[in-house]
Amino acid sequence: MKLVFLGPPGAGKGTQAAHICAKLDIPHISTGDMLRSAISKGTPTGLKAKSYVESGGLVPDEVLIEMVRERLSESDCAKGYLLDGFPRTVHQSEALKEICPPDRVINVFVSDEKLLARLTGRRVCTACEGTFHISMLSNAEICPSCGGKLIQRKDDTPQTITNRLNVYHTQTAPLIDFYTAEGTLRTVDGDKPEDEVTREILIALGSQDDLH
Ligand code: ADP
Ligand code: ZN
């Protein structure tokens, strides 16, 4: 199955993607994770992307389209894919339509108010890459699942978060119309508890028999 997860920053796309990929046995392709890894390794893509990622802006379309085109040509994508964080612009969605169009697009909806609270309190583990909210932690610096060190992502500061939400509304939200017109969009309520959101997504995927 070929899937795209659409939704604002902080909607829980990454967490849900991990559940769904395990269940469907398809690769989880997070362009945010790929870019952060490229930046920390100092690859040519990382060097091009760094300033955009750190300010909360979008990395130029050409860079992302090439990166995703290459990733989707790898052998594990023969089973399908779950794209998390791509496409983020109409131009990117048109490119994906040429490369390998998705069967289903899941739009994870969460209000801006909730997103702000989630993002400012988000901590990530430097060892296992798990994501946690400070409200759930007894120690804000230690990973509850592996004991690794927790940090705040560089782009999770209030100024950058506001910028990312604006970018989402102006550049990415128009994809809701794009995929509604394609007939592939399904919206789920990302405000619900984690396991209920997973269930809603599986229902949205299973209710169709034209998937492969
Ligand atoms: P979030 O969804 O929490 O904002 P991501 O990890 O998906 O975070 O992305 C982090 C940053 O990486 C974005 O703010 C942007 O700078 C860059 N990025 C990721 N995917 C794309 C994309 N498809 N197009 C342009 N920039 C991207
Ligand atoms: Zn950890």
Side-chain angles (χ1 to χ4, degrees), residues 7-10 13 30-33 35-36 52-54 56-61 64 84-89 92 119 122 153 155-156 164:
K13 299 188 297 291
S30 159
T31 48
D33 287 348
L35 290 171
R36 281 185 290 276
Y52 300 99
V53 172
E54 288 180 355
L58 291 184
V59 177
D61 283 340
L64 264 292
D84 162 13
F86 183 96
R88 253 181 163 91
T89 65
Q92 291 178 13
L119 292 167
R122 178 158 75 176
R153 252 169 60 179
D155 61 348
D156 276 349
R164 281 155 65 209

PDB file of all heavy atoms in Angstrom, residues 7-10 13 30-33 35-36 52-54 56-61 64 84-89 92 119 122 153 155-156 164, ligand 1:
ATOM      1  N   GLY A   7      -0.741  16.570   7.445  1.00  0.00           N
ATOM      2  CA  GLY A   7      -1.197  17.157   8.703  1.00  0.00           C
ATOM      3  C   GLY A   7      -0.174  18.146   9.199  1.00  0.00           C
ATOM      4  O   GLY A   7       0.979  18.118   8.781  1.00  0.00           O
ATOM      5  N   PRO A   8      -0.584  19.041  10.094  1.00  0.00           N
ATOM      6  CA  PRO A   8       0.320  20.076  10.594  1.00  0.00           C
ATOM      7  C   PRO A   8       1.433  19.487  11.461  1.00  0.00           C
ATOM      8  O   PRO A   8       1.328  18.352  11.931  1.00  0.00           O
ATOM      9  CB  PRO A   8      -0.607  20.959  11.432  1.00  0.00           C
ATOM     10  CG  PRO A   8      -1.752  20.087  11.804  1.00  0.00           C
ATOM     11  CD  PRO A   8      -1.918  19.115  10.683  1.00  0.00           C
ATOM     12  N   PRO A   9       2.494  20.268  11.699  1.00  0.00           N
ATOM     13  CA  PRO A   9       3.541  19.826  12.611  1.00  0.00           C
ATOM     14  C   PRO A   9       2.940  19.569  13.992  1.00  0.00           C
ATOM     15  O   PRO A   9       2.129  20.356  14.462  1.00  0.00           O
ATOM     16  CB  PRO A   9       4.526  21.009  12.655  1.00  0.00           C
ATOM     17  CG  PRO A   9       3.827  22.172  12.045  1.00  0.00           C
ATOM     18  CD  PRO A   9       2.771  21.610  11.138  1.00  0.00           C
ATOM     19  N   GLY A  10       3.292  18.465  14.598  1.00  0.00           N
ATOM     20  CA  GLY A  10       2.784  18.159  15.929  1.00  0.00           C
ATOM     21  C   GLY A  10       1.491  17.375  15.923  1.00  0.00           C
ATOM     22  O   GLY A  10       0.940  17.060  16.981  1.00  0.00           O
ATOM     23  N   LYS A  13       1.888  12.641  13.297  1.00  0.00           N
ATOM     24  CA  LYS A  13       2.112  11.843  12.092  1.00  0.00           C
ATOM     25  C   LYS A  13       3.207  10.797  12.295  1.00  0.00           C
ATOM     26  O   LYS A  13       3.050   9.647  11.907  1.00  0.00           O
ATOM     27  CB  LYS A  13       2.517  12.731  10.900  1.00  0.00           C
ATOM     28  CG  LYS A  13       1.486  13.766  10.509  1.00  0.00           C
ATOM     29  CD  LYS A  13       1.875  14.471   9.203  1.00  0.00           C
ATOM     30  CE  LYS A  13       3.178  15.256   9.284  1.00  0.00           C
ATOM     31  NZ  LYS A  13       3.091  16.453  10.139  1.00  0.00           N
ATOM     32  N   SER A  30      10.210   9.390   6.547  1.00  0.00           N
ATOM     33  CA  SER A  30       9.992  10.711   7.129  1.00  0.00           C
ATOM     34  C   SER A  30      11.021  11.664   6.547  1.00  0.00           C
ATOM     35  O   SER A  30      12.219  11.526   6.797  1.00  0.00           O
ATOM     36  CB  SER A  30      10.140  10.642   8.653  1.00  0.00           C
ATOM     37  OG  SER A  30      10.405  11.933   9.176  1.00  0.00           O
ATOM     38  N   THR A  31      10.555  12.639   5.766  1.00  0.00           N
ATOM     39  CA  THR A  31      11.517  13.558   5.142  1.00  0.00           C
ATOM     40  C   THR A  31      12.189  14.435   6.203  1.00  0.00           C
ATOM     41  O   THR A  31      13.355  14.790   6.051  1.00  0.00           O
ATOM     42  CB  THR A  31      10.849  14.430   4.057  1.00  0.00           C
ATOM     43  OG1 THR A  31       9.644  14.990   4.566  1.00  0.00           O
ATOM     44  CG2 THR A  31      10.546  13.606   2.821  1.00  0.00           C
ATOM     45  N   GLY A  32      11.470  14.742   7.304  1.00  0.00           N
ATOM     46  CA  GLY A  32      12.084  15.509   8.393  1.00  0.00           C
ATOM     47  C   GLY A  32      13.254  14.735   8.992  1.00  0.00           C
ATOM     48  O   GLY A  32      14.346  15.285   9.187  1.00  0.00           O
ATOM     49  N   ASP A  33      13.047  13.428   9.266  1.00  0.00           N
ATOM     50  CA  ASP A  33      14.138  12.601   9.812  1.00  0.00           C
ATOM     51  C   ASP A  33      15.290  12.490   8.823  1.00  0.00           C
ATOM     52  O   ASP A  33      16.463  12.555   9.205  1.00  0.00           O
ATOM     53  CB  ASP A  33      13.639  11.182  10.143  1.00  0.00           C
ATOM     54  CG  ASP A  33      12.747  11.154  11.385  1.00  0.00           C
ATOM     55  OD1 ASP A  33      12.708  12.175  12.120  1.00  0.00           O
ATOM     56  OD2 ASP A  33      12.089  10.123  11.617  1.00  0.00           O
ATOM     57  N   LEU A  35      16.165  14.634   6.550  1.00  0.00           N
ATOM     58  CA  LEU A  35      16.884  15.912   6.493  1.00  0.00           C
ATOM     59  C   LEU A  35      17.737  16.123   7.741  1.00  0.00           C
ATOM     60  O   LEU A  35      18.891  16.538   7.647  1.00  0.00           O
ATOM     61  CB  LEU A  35      15.901  17.081   6.322  1.00  0.00           C
ATOM     62  CG  LEU A  35      15.219  17.172   4.958  1.00  0.00           C
ATOM     63  CD1 LEU A  35      14.110  18.225   4.981  1.00  0.00           C
ATOM     64  CD2 LEU A  35      16.233  17.521   3.865  1.00  0.00           C
ATOM     65  N   ARG A  36      17.170  15.801   8.912  1.00  0.00           N
ATOM     66  CA  ARG A  36      17.964  15.981  10.146  1.00  0.00           C
ATOM     67  C   ARG A  36      19.202  15.095  10.127  1.00  0.00           C
ATOM     68  O   ARG A  36      20.277  15.503  10.554  1.00  0.00           O
ATOM     69  CB  ARG A  36      17.095  15.716  11.395  1.00  0.00           C
ATOM     70  CG  ARG A  36      16.194  16.908  11.747  1.00  0.00           C
ATOM     71  CD  ARG A  36      15.433  16.688  13.033  1.00  0.00           C
ATOM     72  NE  ARG A  36      14.399  15.682  12.902  1.00  0.00           N
ATOM     73  CZ  ARG A  36      13.176  15.911  12.426  1.00  0.00           C
ATOM     74  NH1 ARG A  36      12.827  17.128  12.073  1.00  0.00           N
ATOM     75  NH2 ARG A  36      12.309  14.935  12.320  1.00  0.00           N
ATOM     76  N   TYR A  52      17.047  26.307   6.266  1.00  0.00           N
ATOM     77  CA  TYR A  52      15.580  26.257   6.150  1.00  0.00           C
ATOM     78  C   TYR A  52      14.980  25.475   7.316  1.00  0.00           C
ATOM     79  O   TYR A  52      14.017  25.899   7.924  1.00  0.00           O
ATOM     80  CB  TYR A  52      15.154  25.579   4.844  1.00  0.00           C
ATOM     81  CG  TYR A  52      15.657  26.261   3.605  1.00  0.00           C
ATOM     82  CD1 TYR A  52      16.783  25.779   2.942  1.00  0.00           C
ATOM     83  CD2 TYR A  52      15.002  27.386   3.098  1.00  0.00           C
ATOM     84  CE1 TYR A  52      17.248  26.399   1.795  1.00  0.00           C
ATOM     85  CE2 TYR A  52      15.464  28.008   1.947  1.00  0.00           C
ATOM     86  CZ  TYR A  52      16.587  27.511   1.301  1.00  0.00           C
ATOM     87  OH  TYR A  52      17.047  28.127   0.169  1.00  0.00           O
ATOM     88  N   VAL A  53      15.553  24.319   7.602  1.00  0.00           N
ATOM     89  CA  VAL A  53      15.012  23.474   8.673  1.00  0.00           C
ATOM     90  C   VAL A  53      15.096  24.208  10.006  1.00  0.00           C
ATOM     91  O   VAL A  53      14.138  24.225  10.780  1.00  0.00           O
ATOM     92  CB  VAL A  53      15.761  22.122   8.751  1.00  0.00           C
ATOM     93  CG1 VAL A  53      15.338  21.336   9.980  1.00  0.00           C
ATOM     94  CG2 VAL A  53      15.521  21.308   7.484  1.00  0.00           C
ATOM     95  N   GLU A  54      16.228  24.860  10.262  1.00  0.00           N
ATOM     96  CA  GLU A  54      16.402  25.507  11.562  1.00  0.00           C
ATOM     97  C   GLU A  54      15.522  26.727  11.757  1.00  0.00           C
ATOM     98  O   GLU A  54      15.174  27.074  12.874  1.00  0.00           O
ATOM     99  CB  GLU A  54      17.883  25.803  11.808  1.00  0.00           C
ATOM    100  CG  GLU A  54      18.590  24.486  12.083  1.00  0.00           C
ATOM    101  CD  GLU A  54      20.081  24.591  12.353  1.00  0.00           C
ATOM    102  OE1 GLU A  54      20.635  25.708  12.245  1.00  0.00           O
ATOM    103  OE2 GLU A  54      20.673  23.537  12.664  1.00  0.00           O
ATOM    104  N   GLY A  56      12.466  26.869  10.380  1.00  0.00           N
ATOM    105  CA  GLY A  56      11.081  26.413  10.280  1.00  0.00           C
ATOM    106  C   GLY A  56      10.465  26.663   8.910  1.00  0.00           C
ATOM    107  O   GLY A  56       9.266  26.499   8.726  1.00  0.00           O
ATOM    108  N   GLY A  57      11.285  27.070   7.958  1.00  0.00           N
ATOM    109  CA  GLY A  57      10.788  27.266   6.585  1.00  0.00           C
ATOM    110  C   GLY A  57      10.849  25.961   5.811  1.00  0.00           C
ATOM    111  O   GLY A  57      11.294  24.942   6.335  1.00  0.00           O
ATOM    112  N   LEU A  58      10.403  25.975   4.558  1.00  0.00           N
ATOM    113  CA  LEU A  58      10.460  24.768   3.743  1.00  0.00           C
ATOM    114  C   LEU A  58      11.746  24.725   2.933  1.00  0.00           C
ATOM    115  O   LEU A  58      12.179  25.735   2.379  1.00  0.00           O
ATOM    116  CB  LEU A  58       9.271  24.699   2.781  1.00  0.00           C
ATOM    117  CG  LEU A  58       7.894  24.477   3.390  1.00  0.00           C
ATOM    118  CD1 LEU A  58       6.861  24.329   2.279  1.00  0.00           C
ATOM    119  CD2 LEU A  58       7.870  23.261   4.303  1.00  0.00           C
ATOM    120  N   VAL A  59      12.335  23.550   2.873  1.00  0.00           N
ATOM    121  CA  VAL A  59      13.503  23.315   2.028  1.00  0.00           C
ATOM    122  C   VAL A  59      13.003  23.354   0.579  1.00  0.00           C
ATOM    123  O   VAL A  59      11.888  22.896   0.302  1.00  0.00           O
ATOM    124  CB  VAL A  59      14.121  21.945   2.384  1.00  0.00           C
ATOM    125  CG1 VAL A  59      15.293  21.613   1.489  1.00  0.00           C
ATOM    126  CG2 VAL A  59      14.540  21.930   3.860  1.00  0.00           C
ATOM    127  N   PRO A  60      13.799  23.911  -0.375  1.00  0.00           N
ATOM    128  CA  PRO A  60      13.312  24.028  -1.758  1.00  0.00           C
ATOM    129  C   PRO A  60      12.790  22.704  -2.338  1.00  0.00           C
ATOM    130  O   PRO A  60      13.357  21.636  -2.091  1.00  0.00           O
ATOM    131  CB  PRO A  60      14.549  24.519  -2.525  1.00  0.00           C
ATOM    132  CG  PRO A  60      15.359  25.245  -1.500  1.00  0.00           C
ATOM    133  CD  PRO A  60      15.121  24.516  -0.202  1.00  0.00           C
ATOM    134  N   ASP A  61      11.715  22.813  -3.103  1.00  0.00           N
ATOM    135  CA  ASP A  61      11.055  21.644  -3.695  1.00  0.00           C
ATOM    136  C   ASP A  61      12.020  20.704  -4.426  1.00  0.00           C
ATOM    137  O   ASP A  61      11.931  19.487  -4.271  1.00  0.00           O
ATOM    138  CB  ASP A  61       9.982  22.105  -4.694  1.00  0.00           C
ATOM    139  CG  ASP A  61       8.714  22.602  -4.004  1.00  0.00           C
ATOM    140  OD1 ASP A  61       8.498  22.260  -2.822  1.00  0.00           O
ATOM    141  OD2 ASP A  61       7.937  23.333  -4.656  1.00  0.00           O
ATOM    142  N   LEU A  64      13.855  18.302  -2.134  1.00  0.00           N
ATOM    143  CA  LEU A  64      12.982  17.263  -1.570  1.00  0.00           C
ATOM    144  C   LEU A  64      12.540  16.256  -2.613  1.00  0.00           C
ATOM    145  O   LEU A  64      12.513  15.051  -2.358  1.00  0.00           O
ATOM    146  CB  LEU A  64      11.743  17.933  -0.945  1.00  0.00           C
ATOM    147  CG  LEU A  64      11.830  18.185   0.549  1.00  0.00           C
ATOM    148  CD1 LEU A  64      11.828  16.876   1.312  1.00  0.00           C
ATOM    149  CD2 LEU A  64      13.060  18.984   0.927  1.00  0.00           C
ATOM    150  N   ASP A  84       5.809  10.500   5.306  1.00  0.00           N
ATOM    151  CA  ASP A  84       5.461  11.334   6.460  1.00  0.00           C
ATOM    152  C   ASP A  84       6.230  12.652   6.320  1.00  0.00           C
ATOM    153  O   ASP A  84       7.443  12.662   6.447  1.00  0.00           O
ATOM    154  CB  ASP A  84       5.845  10.520   7.714  1.00  0.00           C
ATOM    155  CG  ASP A  84       5.975  11.336   8.991  1.00  0.00           C
ATOM    156  OD1 ASP A  84       5.551  12.491   9.007  1.00  0.00           O
ATOM    157  OD2 ASP A  84       6.517  10.777   9.966  1.00  0.00           O
ATOM    158  N   GLY A  85       5.511  13.717   5.980  1.00  0.00           N
ATOM    159  CA  GLY A  85       6.184  15.017   5.803  1.00  0.00           C
ATOM    160  C   GLY A  85       6.417  15.391   4.344  1.00  0.00           C
ATOM    161  O   GLY A  85       6.968  16.443   4.051  1.00  0.00           O
ATOM    162  N   PHE A  86       5.993  14.546   3.445  1.00  0.00           N
ATOM    163  CA  PHE A  86       6.085  14.809   2.010  1.00  0.00           C
ATOM    164  C   PHE A  86       4.849  14.229   1.353  1.00  0.00           C
ATOM    165  O   PHE A  86       4.483  13.089   1.691  1.00  0.00           O
ATOM    166  CB  PHE A  86       7.343  14.148   1.412  1.00  0.00           C
ATOM    167  CG  PHE A  86       7.549  14.439  -0.060  1.00  0.00           C
ATOM    168  CD1 PHE A  86       8.388  15.459  -0.476  1.00  0.00           C
ATOM    169  CD2 PHE A  86       6.883  13.675  -1.025  1.00  0.00           C
ATOM    170  CE1 PHE A  86       8.569  15.725  -1.833  1.00  0.00           C
ATOM    171  CE2 PHE A  86       7.068  13.949  -2.373  1.00  0.00           C
ATOM    172  CZ  PHE A  86       7.912  14.965  -2.773  1.00  0.00           C
ATOM    173  N   PRO A  87       4.200  14.889   0.418  1.00  0.00           N
ATOM    174  CA  PRO A  87       4.467  16.247  -0.057  1.00  0.00           C
ATOM    175  C   PRO A  87       3.983  17.312   0.925  1.00  0.00           C
ATOM    176  O   PRO A  87       3.083  17.076   1.722  1.00  0.00           O
ATOM    177  CB  PRO A  87       3.652  16.304  -1.354  1.00  0.00           C
ATOM    178  CG  PRO A  87       2.536  15.344  -1.157  1.00  0.00           C
ATOM    179  CD  PRO A  87       3.095  14.244  -0.309  1.00  0.00           C
ATOM    180  N   ARG A  88       4.604  18.484   0.818  1.00  0.00           N
ATOM    181  CA  ARG A  88       4.244  19.619   1.661  1.00  0.00           C
ATOM    182  C   ARG A  88       3.855  20.830   0.827  1.00  0.00           C
ATOM    183  O   ARG A  88       3.486  21.860   1.390  1.00  0.00           O
ATOM    184  CB  ARG A  88       5.452  19.993   2.510  1.00  0.00           C
ATOM    185  CG  ARG A  88       5.352  19.635   3.982  1.00  0.00           C
ATOM    186  CD  ARG A  88       6.648  20.122   4.613  1.00  0.00           C
ATOM    187  NE  ARG A  88       6.618  20.225   6.040  1.00  0.00           N
ATOM    188  CZ  ARG A  88       6.965  19.242   6.865  1.00  0.00           C
ATOM    189  NH1 ARG A  88       7.286  18.064   6.401  1.00  0.00           N
ATOM    190  NH2 ARG A  88       6.970  19.443   8.157  1.00  0.00           N
ATOM    191  N   THR A  89       3.990  20.752  -0.475  1.00  0.00           N
ATOM    192  CA  THR A  89       3.551  21.837  -1.366  1.00  0.00           C
ATOM    193  C   THR A  89       2.816  21.185  -2.544  1.00  0.00           C
ATOM    194  O   THR A  89       2.998  19.988  -2.809  1.00  0.00           O
ATOM    195  CB  THR A  89       4.749  22.631  -1.945  1.00  0.00           C
ATOM    196  OG1 THR A  89       5.513  21.762  -2.786  1.00  0.00           O
ATOM    197  CG2 THR A  89       5.654  23.198  -0.866  1.00  0.00           C
ATOM    198  N   GLN A  92       5.182  19.641  -4.948  1.00  0.00           N
ATOM    199  CA  GLN A  92       5.669  18.317  -4.517  1.00  0.00           C
ATOM    200  C   GLN A  92       4.625  17.239  -4.768  1.00  0.00           C
ATOM    201  O   GLN A  92       4.957  16.116  -5.150  1.00  0.00           O
ATOM    202  CB  GLN A  92       6.046  18.337  -3.026  1.00  0.00           C
ATOM    203  CG  GLN A  92       7.282  19.177  -2.710  1.00  0.00           C
ATOM    204  CD  GLN A  92       7.615  19.220  -1.222  1.00  0.00           C
ATOM    205  OE1 GLN A  92       7.084  18.445  -0.419  1.00  0.00           O
ATOM    206  NE2 GLN A  92       8.500  20.131  -0.842  1.00  0.00           N
ATOM    207  N   LEU A 119       3.908  20.965  20.668  1.00  0.00           N
ATOM    208  CA  LEU A 119       5.255  21.189  20.127  1.00  0.00           C
ATOM    209  C   LEU A 119       6.196  21.826  21.138  1.00  0.00           C
ATOM    210  O   LEU A 119       7.362  21.468  21.218  1.00  0.00           O
ATOM    211  CB  LEU A 119       5.183  22.049  18.865  1.00  0.00           C
ATOM    212  CG  LEU A 119       4.519  21.359  17.667  1.00  0.00           C
ATOM    213  CD1 LEU A 119       4.199  22.377  16.582  1.00  0.00           C
ATOM    214  CD2 LEU A 119       5.426  20.282  17.100  1.00  0.00           C
ATOM    215  N   ARG A 122       7.430  19.128  23.469  1.00  0.00           N
ATOM    216  CA  ARG A 122       7.961  17.912  22.865  1.00  0.00           C
ATOM    217  C   ARG A 122       9.447  17.713  23.189  1.00  0.00           C
ATOM    218  O   ARG A 122      10.236  18.641  23.115  1.00  0.00           O
ATOM    219  CB  ARG A 122       7.770  17.981  21.340  1.00  0.00           C
ATOM    220  CG  ARG A 122       8.330  16.776  20.618  1.00  0.00           C
ATOM    221  CD  ARG A 122       7.698  16.609  19.266  1.00  0.00           C
ATOM    222  NE  ARG A 122       8.169  17.566  18.269  1.00  0.00           N
ATOM    223  CZ  ARG A 122       7.779  17.531  16.996  1.00  0.00           C
ATOM    224  NH1 ARG A 122       6.892  16.645  16.583  1.00  0.00           N
ATOM    225  NH2 ARG A 122       8.242  18.423  16.149  1.00  0.00           N
ATOM    226  N   ARG A 153      14.015  19.545  20.100  1.00  0.00           N
ATOM    227  CA  ARG A 153      14.480  19.768  18.736  1.00  0.00           C
ATOM    228  C   ARG A 153      14.743  21.255  18.523  1.00  0.00           C
ATOM    229  O   ARG A 153      14.022  22.093  19.038  1.00  0.00           O
ATOM    230  CB  ARG A 153      13.396  19.303  17.760  1.00  0.00           C
ATOM    231  CG  ARG A 153      13.765  18.039  17.039  1.00  0.00           C
ATOM    232  CD  ARG A 153      12.601  17.456  16.301  1.00  0.00           C
ATOM    233  NE  ARG A 153      12.041  18.367  15.294  1.00  0.00           N
ATOM    234  CZ  ARG A 153      11.012  18.050  14.508  1.00  0.00           C
ATOM    235  NH1 ARG A 153      10.438  16.856  14.625  1.00  0.00           N
ATOM    236  NH2 ARG A 153      10.556  18.898  13.637  1.00  0.00           N
ATOM    237  N   ASP A 155      14.090  23.115  16.155  1.00  0.00           N
ATOM    238  CA  ASP A 155      12.974  23.863  15.549  1.00  0.00           C
ATOM    239  C   ASP A 155      11.703  23.778  16.387  1.00  0.00           C
ATOM    240  O   ASP A 155      10.628  24.089  15.917  1.00  0.00           O
ATOM    241  CB  ASP A 155      12.733  23.422  14.099  1.00  0.00           C
ATOM    242  CG  ASP A 155      12.362  21.958  13.957  1.00  0.00           C
ATOM    243  OD1 ASP A 155      12.505  21.194  14.941  1.00  0.00           O
ATOM    244  OD2 ASP A 155      11.925  21.563  12.863  1.00  0.00           O
ATOM    245  N   ASP A 156      11.826  23.383  17.651  1.00  0.00           N
ATOM    246  CA  ASP A 156      10.662  23.378  18.550  1.00  0.00           C
ATOM    247  C   ASP A 156      10.664  24.570  19.510  1.00  0.00           C
ATOM    248  O   ASP A 156      10.152  24.493  20.616  1.00  0.00           O
ATOM    249  CB  ASP A 156      10.596  22.060  19.344  1.00  0.00           C
ATOM    250  CG  ASP A 156       9.915  20.925  18.558  1.00  0.00           C
ATOM    251  OD1 ASP A 156       9.317  21.203  17.492  1.00  0.00           O
ATOM    252  OD2 ASP A 156       9.976  19.776  19.010  1.00  0.00           O
ATOM    253  N   ARG A 164       6.395  27.530  11.518  1.00  0.00           N
ATOM    254  CA  ARG A 164       6.029  26.260  10.886  1.00  0.00           C
ATOM    255  C   ARG A 164       4.520  26.134  10.716  1.00  0.00           C
ATOM    256  O   ARG A 164       4.041  25.584   9.723  1.00  0.00           O
ATOM    257  CB  ARG A 164       6.572  25.093  11.701  1.00  0.00           C
ATOM    258  CG  ARG A 164       8.062  24.867  11.436  1.00  0.00           C
ATOM    259  CD  ARG A 164       8.757  24.189  12.594  1.00  0.00           C
ATOM    260  NE  ARG A 164       8.284  22.854  12.838  1.00  0.00           N
ATOM    261  CZ  ARG A 164       8.284  22.269  14.040  1.00  0.00           C
ATOM    262  NH1 ARG A 164       8.705  22.922  15.103  1.00  0.00           N
ATOM    263  NH2 ARG A 164       7.859  21.057  14.169  1.00  0.00           N
TER     264      ARG A 164
HETATM  265  P1  ADP B   1       7.176  18.672  11.657  1.00  0.00           P
HETATM  266  O1  ADP B   1       6.144  17.892  10.890  1.00  0.00           O
HETATM  267  O2  ADP B   1       7.164  18.401  13.106  1.00  0.00           O
HETATM  268  O3  ADP B   1       7.235  20.142  11.310  1.00  0.00           O
HETATM  269  P2  ADP B   1       9.279  17.371  10.137  1.00  0.00           P
HETATM  270  O4  ADP B   1      10.222  16.533  10.901  1.00  0.00           O
HETATM  271  O5  ADP B   1       8.306  16.705   9.222  1.00  0.00           O
HETATM  272  O6  ADP B   1       8.597  18.216  11.245  1.00  0.00           O
HETATM  273  O7  ADP B   1      10.068  18.464   9.285  1.00  0.00           O
HETATM  274  C1  ADP B   1      11.009  19.333   9.865  1.00  0.00           C
HETATM  275  C2  ADP B   1      11.498  20.366   8.855  1.00  0.00           C
HETATM  276  O8  ADP B   1      12.110  19.699   7.728  1.00  0.00           O
HETATM  277  C3  ADP B   1      10.413  21.252   8.226  1.00  0.00           C
HETATM  278  O9  ADP B   1      10.086  22.342   9.056  1.00  0.00           O
HETATM  279  C4  ADP B   1      11.104  21.672   6.918  1.00  0.00           C
HETATM  280  O10 ADP B   1      12.049  22.681   7.132  1.00  0.00           O
HETATM  281  C5  ADP B   1      11.847  20.410   6.503  1.00  0.00           C
HETATM  282  N1  ADP B   1      11.030  19.553   5.613  1.00  0.00           N
HETATM  283  C6  ADP B   1      10.598  18.289   5.889  1.00  0.00           C
HETATM  284  N2  ADP B   1       9.866  17.798   4.857  1.00  0.00           N
HETATM  285  C7  ADP B   1       9.844  18.770   3.913  1.00  0.00           C
HETATM  286  C8  ADP B   1       9.247  18.885   2.624  1.00  0.00           C
HETATM  287  N3  ADP B   1       8.502  17.894   2.103  1.00  0.00           N
HETATM  288  N4  ADP B   1       9.444  20.033   1.925  1.00  0.00           N
HETATM  289  C9  ADP B   1      10.181  21.025   2.418  1.00  0.00           C
HETATM  290  N5  ADP B   1      10.762  21.005   3.624  1.00  0.00           N
HETATM  291  C10 ADP B   1      10.611  19.888   4.374  1.00  0.00           C
END
